[in-house]
Amino acid sequence: MDFSIKAFNTKNAIAEHKSSCIAVGIYEGGKLSASAKALDLKGVLTTAVKTGDITGKAGTTLLVHRAGEAAKRVLLVGLGAEDAVSDRNFISAIQSVSRVFSHLGASDAMLALPLDCVKGRDAHWAIRTLIPILRESVFRADSLKSKKDDTPTGVRKITLLVAEANSATRHTLKQAVAVANGLDLAKTLGNLPPNICTPTYLATTAKQIAREVGLGVEVLDRKQLEALKMGSFLSVTNGSDQPPKFIILKHQGGKAKDAPVVLVGKGITFDTGGISLKPGGGMDEMKYDMCGAASVLGTMQAVGEMELPLNVIGIIPACENMPSGSATRPGDIVTSMSGQTIEILNTDAEGRLILCDALTYAERFKPACVIDIATLTGACITALGHHNTGLFTRHDKAHDALADELLAAGKYSHDTAWRMPIEEAYNEQLKSNFADMANIGGPPAGSITAACFLERYTRKYTWAHLDIAGTAWKSGGAKGSTGRPIPMLTTFLIDRAEG
Ligand code: BES
Ligand code: MN
Ligand code: ZN
């Protein structure tokens, strides 16, 4: 899908722009937006309102054909009450436009909705919001089907008509497209089957995007991980025939001396639970246990494509969690890269075991902050469902500030998180009689004790943990990767770079 921006003004009136279709807004109560009025030359749109064909309720649409005009069709789109167009109203309007565009008998269209109509938002927010929604309609997950799903038809070329087509709006469009590309990559990786999307495949993908958008890349193999003494990470890969990979991506957009933001993504390409084997039902969904890694790859690709003036490093520990004669046993004690020992009481709590060594590795970059992203606990789904990502940090001034930044980025991009506690009391549950800590804390507060475990490896820097177990993919009929939390992460990074 191809996007561009054009200006309209008094010399270059809306009604003179040629296209197959132009989408314009209408407010609740039937009030035409300015661009709709400009197109209502023969009163056809006013008649449509008068006859009750459209009221302006958010998300409703009416397609009007107009032979002989510059724009052959007008798509009226409801935005809701003019004095209170909400984020939700705007998103629902764009979703409706997207639906109509995707099976229109035309390949080009214009969008002339009032981009500054949303309360408290500006045109930049509108552009960043609408591009991923329009792109979603052409996303397909049929690369492995011999007969493809319906071939994408409809509108492929969209021009945004804005009052001011300046360098700032063009810059925002470029950023929005980069984020949509990152979402595509992460969703595609998440949806791939675990026999294709292996740790080696993730490493190859990392090298490919590094080449394409200009990132530094390094992939460490088992020997190098042994030399680094990543005993915890390596214990998870023991049962697998797939070699583990430790991926490092670097974007140097800031000054050489500037401390980088480090993103760490859980890359379990399949989680059987290991010897603490998971039940069979729905186990296929554990192919999504690399969605943290995919979100880091998608974010790094977007950051590179945007040429963001910020230093960002992505770290991905990738392996499979499999049972076999060589697999780690419950009761095994391993030594992490930090030197802390861990009694593995449940081999299914493997995410924290690979992350703790990656978090220790992150120290060498003297980071401004470290954010880890992981499909870490089923308990997080119990706590927050599928709406909010779980956000965990320590509770001090610096961490409250980081948490607030991430929460705000989530709200801006409609990829929200909810903050959870990390407190000493929960740490009691990680006590082991034989090692520095156990890798599980028992049934109560499972997502919090998992975060408490990670916290012990992050004391040298400012850190946040995102548990995306409930938000990274959808089950059932709509089964598929969501690409979350890329919108939140990219918004956070853009704000850090430009805010
Ligand atoms: N990858 C899972 C977490 C998960 C489970 C995400 C279901 C999404 C849906 C993780 O490795 C895991 O198995 N966690 C265990 C931890 C437990 C053994 C302490 C869990 O949540 O059951
Ligand atoms: Mn597990
Ligand atoms: Zn897992």
PDB file of all heavy atoms in Angstrom, residues 266 268 271-274 276 278 286 289 321 346-351 375-376, ligand 2:
ATOM      1  N   LYS A 266      12.140 -11.682  24.679  1.00  0.00           N
ATOM      2  CA  LYS A 266      12.131 -13.138  24.880  1.00  0.00           C
ATOM      3  C   LYS A 266      11.919 -13.845  23.543  1.00  0.00           C
ATOM      4  O   LYS A 266      10.911 -13.622  22.870  1.00  0.00           O
ATOM      5  CB  LYS A 266      11.023 -13.536  25.870  1.00  0.00           C
ATOM      6  CG  LYS A 266      10.798 -15.046  26.006  1.00  0.00           C
ATOM      7  CD  LYS A 266       9.701 -15.384  27.024  1.00  0.00           C
ATOM      8  CE  LYS A 266       9.387 -16.886  27.029  1.00  0.00           C
ATOM      9  NZ  LYS A 266       8.294 -17.228  27.974  1.00  0.00           N
ATOM     10  N   ILE A 268      11.714 -17.419  22.762  1.00  0.00           N
ATOM     11  CA  ILE A 268      11.501 -18.878  22.810  1.00  0.00           C
ATOM     12  C   ILE A 268      10.687 -19.239  21.570  1.00  0.00           C
ATOM     13  O   ILE A 268       9.500 -18.894  21.475  1.00  0.00           O
ATOM     14  CB  ILE A 268      10.762 -19.295  24.106  1.00  0.00           C
ATOM     15  CG1 ILE A 268      11.625 -19.008  25.340  1.00  0.00           C
ATOM     16  CG2 ILE A 268      10.371 -20.784  24.042  1.00  0.00           C
ATOM     17  CD1 ILE A 268      12.844 -19.910  25.521  1.00  0.00           C
ATOM     18  N   ASP A 271       7.692 -23.254  23.090  1.00  0.00           N
ATOM     19  CA  ASP A 271       7.740 -23.563  24.515  1.00  0.00           C
ATOM     20  C   ASP A 271       6.857 -24.762  24.820  1.00  0.00           C
ATOM     21  O   ASP A 271       5.648 -24.642  24.984  1.00  0.00           O
ATOM     22  CB  ASP A 271       7.276 -22.339  25.329  1.00  0.00           C
ATOM     23  CG  ASP A 271       7.327 -22.589  26.830  1.00  0.00           C
ATOM     24  OD1 ASP A 271       7.935 -23.611  27.240  1.00  0.00           O
ATOM     25  OD2 ASP A 271       6.775 -21.761  27.584  1.00  0.00           O
ATOM     26  N   THR A 272       7.486 -25.958  24.882  1.00  0.00           N
ATOM     27  CA  THR A 272       6.720 -27.158  25.269  1.00  0.00           C
ATOM     28  C   THR A 272       6.550 -27.223  26.781  1.00  0.00           C
ATOM     29  O   THR A 272       5.772 -28.035  27.286  1.00  0.00           O
ATOM     30  CB  THR A 272       7.463 -28.444  24.858  1.00  0.00           C
ATOM     31  OG1 THR A 272       8.695 -28.510  25.614  1.00  0.00           O
ATOM     32  CG2 THR A 272       7.775 -28.469  23.367  1.00  0.00           C
ATOM     33  N   GLY A 273       7.306 -26.396  27.501  1.00  0.00           N
ATOM     34  CA  GLY A 273       7.387 -26.509  28.955  1.00  0.00           C
ATOM     35  C   GLY A 273       8.629 -27.291  29.365  1.00  0.00           C
ATOM     36  O   GLY A 273       9.046 -27.238  30.514  1.00  0.00           O
ATOM     37  N   GLY A 274       9.207 -28.051  28.424  1.00  0.00           N
ATOM     38  CA  GLY A 274      10.361 -28.891  28.757  1.00  0.00           C
ATOM     39  C   GLY A 274       9.906 -30.111  29.553  1.00  0.00           C
ATOM     40  O   GLY A 274       8.798 -30.612  29.330  1.00  0.00           O
ATOM     41  N   SER A 276       8.862 -30.247  32.506  1.00  0.00           N
ATOM     42  CA  SER A 276       7.583 -29.852  33.122  1.00  0.00           C
ATOM     43  C   SER A 276       6.603 -29.579  31.979  1.00  0.00           C
ATOM     44  O   SER A 276       6.126 -28.457  31.774  1.00  0.00           O
ATOM     45  CB  SER A 276       7.756 -28.596  33.981  1.00  0.00           C
ATOM     46  OG  SER A 276       8.880 -28.699  34.833  1.00  0.00           O
ATOM     47  N   LYS A 278       3.908 -29.036  29.145  1.00  0.00           N
ATOM     48  CA  LYS A 278       2.588 -28.406  29.124  1.00  0.00           C
ATOM     49  C   LYS A 278       1.544 -29.418  28.666  1.00  0.00           C
ATOM     50  O   LYS A 278       1.873 -30.341  27.930  1.00  0.00           O
ATOM     51  CB  LYS A 278       2.591 -27.224  28.136  1.00  0.00           C
ATOM     52  CG  LYS A 278       3.334 -25.992  28.603  1.00  0.00           C
ATOM     53  CD  LYS A 278       3.206 -24.867  27.583  1.00  0.00           C
ATOM     54  CE  LYS A 278       3.983 -23.635  28.024  1.00  0.00           C
ATOM     55  NZ  LYS A 278       3.421 -22.971  29.213  1.00  0.00           N
ATOM     56  N   MET A 286       2.141 -21.893  21.621  1.00  0.00           N
ATOM     57  CA  MET A 286       3.455 -21.577  22.206  1.00  0.00           C
ATOM     58  C   MET A 286       4.516 -21.286  21.133  1.00  0.00           C
ATOM     59  O   MET A 286       5.664 -20.986  21.433  1.00  0.00           O
ATOM     60  CB  MET A 286       3.905 -22.682  23.161  1.00  0.00           C
ATOM     61  CG  MET A 286       3.202 -22.579  24.512  1.00  0.00           C
ATOM     62  SD  MET A 286       3.510 -20.984  25.326  1.00  0.00           S
ATOM     63  CE  MET A 286       1.875 -20.269  25.384  1.00  0.00           C
ATOM     64  N   ASP A 289       5.701 -17.746  21.589  1.00  0.00           N
ATOM     65  CA  ASP A 289       6.523 -17.402  22.749  1.00  0.00           C
ATOM     66  C   ASP A 289       7.783 -16.612  22.346  1.00  0.00           C
ATOM     67  O   ASP A 289       8.607 -16.282  23.194  1.00  0.00           O
ATOM     68  CB  ASP A 289       6.906 -18.681  23.513  1.00  0.00           C
ATOM     69  CG  ASP A 289       6.974 -18.468  25.022  1.00  0.00           C
ATOM     70  OD1 ASP A 289       6.478 -17.430  25.499  1.00  0.00           O
ATOM     71  OD2 ASP A 289       7.537 -19.340  25.711  1.00  0.00           O
ATOM     72  N   ASN A 321      12.384 -24.503  23.968  1.00  0.00           N
ATOM     73  CA  ASN A 321      12.264 -25.200  25.250  1.00  0.00           C
ATOM     74  C   ASN A 321      11.659 -26.577  24.986  1.00  0.00           C
ATOM     75  O   ASN A 321      10.448 -26.700  24.816  1.00  0.00           O
ATOM     76  CB  ASN A 321      11.391 -24.390  26.208  1.00  0.00           C
ATOM     77  CG  ASN A 321      11.362 -24.971  27.616  1.00  0.00           C
ATOM     78  OD1 ASN A 321      12.242 -25.761  27.995  1.00  0.00           O
ATOM     79  ND2 ASN A 321      10.361 -24.586  28.395  1.00  0.00           N
ATOM     80  N   ASN A 346      10.697 -25.648  38.022  1.00  0.00           N
ATOM     81  CA  ASN A 346       9.742 -25.903  36.945  1.00  0.00           C
ATOM     82  C   ASN A 346      10.397 -25.450  35.642  1.00  0.00           C
ATOM     83  O   ASN A 346      10.714 -24.275  35.478  1.00  0.00           O
ATOM     84  CB  ASN A 346       8.441 -25.125  37.212  1.00  0.00           C
ATOM     85  CG  ASN A 346       7.339 -25.524  36.249  1.00  0.00           C
ATOM     86  OD1 ASN A 346       7.591 -25.744  35.061  1.00  0.00           O
ATOM     87  ND2 ASN A 346       6.123 -25.623  36.742  1.00  0.00           N
ATOM     88  N   THR A 347      10.605 -26.411  34.738  1.00  0.00           N
ATOM     89  CA  THR A 347      11.314 -26.053  33.493  1.00  0.00           C
ATOM     90  C   THR A 347      10.426 -25.226  32.564  1.00  0.00           C
ATOM     91  O   THR A 347      10.902 -24.711  31.548  1.00  0.00           O
ATOM     92  CB  THR A 347      11.797 -27.308  32.740  1.00  0.00           C
ATOM     93  OG1 THR A 347      10.657 -28.091  32.353  1.00  0.00           O
ATOM     94  CG2 THR A 347      12.738 -28.139  33.594  1.00  0.00           C
ATOM     95  N   ASP A 348       9.133 -25.098  32.918  1.00  0.00           N
ATOM     96  CA  ASP A 348       8.230 -24.280  32.100  1.00  0.00           C
ATOM     97  C   ASP A 348       8.367 -22.783  32.435  1.00  0.00           C
ATOM     98  O   ASP A 348       7.856 -21.942  31.704  1.00  0.00           O
ATOM     99  CB  ASP A 348       6.786 -24.745  32.297  1.00  0.00           C
ATOM    100  CG  ASP A 348       5.867 -24.259  31.192  1.00  0.00           C
ATOM    101  OD1 ASP A 348       6.377 -23.726  30.187  1.00  0.00           O
ATOM    102  OD2 ASP A 348       4.638 -24.406  31.340  1.00  0.00           O
ATOM    103  N   ALA A 349       9.042 -22.456  33.528  1.00  0.00           N
ATOM    104  CA  ALA A 349       9.312 -21.042  33.819  1.00  0.00           C
ATOM    105  C   ALA A 349      10.671 -20.708  33.209  1.00  0.00           C
ATOM    106  O   ALA A 349      11.638 -20.380  33.902  1.00  0.00           O
ATOM    107  CB  ALA A 349       9.285 -20.791  35.325  1.00  0.00           C
ATOM    108  N   GLU A 350      10.729 -20.830  31.861  1.00  0.00           N
ATOM    109  CA  GLU A 350      12.005 -20.724  31.147  1.00  0.00           C
ATOM    110  C   GLU A 350      12.294 -19.310  30.663  1.00  0.00           C
ATOM    111  O   GLU A 350      13.458 -18.957  30.462  1.00  0.00           O
ATOM    112  CB  GLU A 350      12.015 -21.697  29.958  1.00  0.00           C
ATOM    113  CG  GLU A 350      11.379 -21.177  28.649  1.00  0.00           C
ATOM    114  CD  GLU A 350       9.894 -20.875  28.765  1.00  0.00           C
ATOM    115  OE1 GLU A 350       9.265 -21.400  29.688  1.00  0.00           O
ATOM    116  OE2 GLU A 350       9.374 -20.094  27.938  1.00  0.00           O
ATOM    117  N   GLY A 351      11.247 -18.516  30.500  1.00  0.00           N
ATOM    118  CA  GLY A 351      11.453 -17.162  29.958  1.00  0.00           C
ATOM    119  C   GLY A 351      12.402 -16.359  30.823  1.00  0.00           C
ATOM    120  O   GLY A 351      13.369 -15.756  30.346  1.00  0.00           O
ATOM    121  N   THR A 375       6.500 -12.724  26.578  1.00  0.00           N
ATOM    122  CA  THR A 375       5.272 -13.495  26.827  1.00  0.00           C
ATOM    123  C   THR A 375       5.582 -14.361  28.039  1.00  0.00           C
ATOM    124  O   THR A 375       5.808 -15.552  27.921  1.00  0.00           O
ATOM    125  CB  THR A 375       4.954 -14.373  25.604  1.00  0.00           C
ATOM    126  OG1 THR A 375       6.176 -15.043  25.208  1.00  0.00           O
ATOM    127  CG2 THR A 375       4.452 -13.551  24.440  1.00  0.00           C
ATOM    128  N   LEU A 376       5.599 -13.730  29.223  1.00  0.00           N
ATOM    129  CA  LEU A 376       6.254 -14.376  30.365  1.00  0.00           C
ATOM    130  C   LEU A 376       5.355 -15.290  31.184  1.00  0.00           C
ATOM    131  O   LEU A 376       5.783 -16.371  31.569  1.00  0.00           O
ATOM    132  CB  LEU A 376       6.900 -13.308  31.269  1.00  0.00           C
ATOM    133  CG  LEU A 376       8.026 -13.852  32.162  1.00  0.00           C
ATOM    134  CD1 LEU A 376       9.186 -14.390  31.325  1.00  0.00           C
ATOM    135  CD2 LEU A 376       8.527 -12.795  33.126  1.00  0.00           C
TER     136      LEU A 376
HETATM  137 MN    MN B   2       7.091 -21.859  29.692  1.00  0.00          MN
END
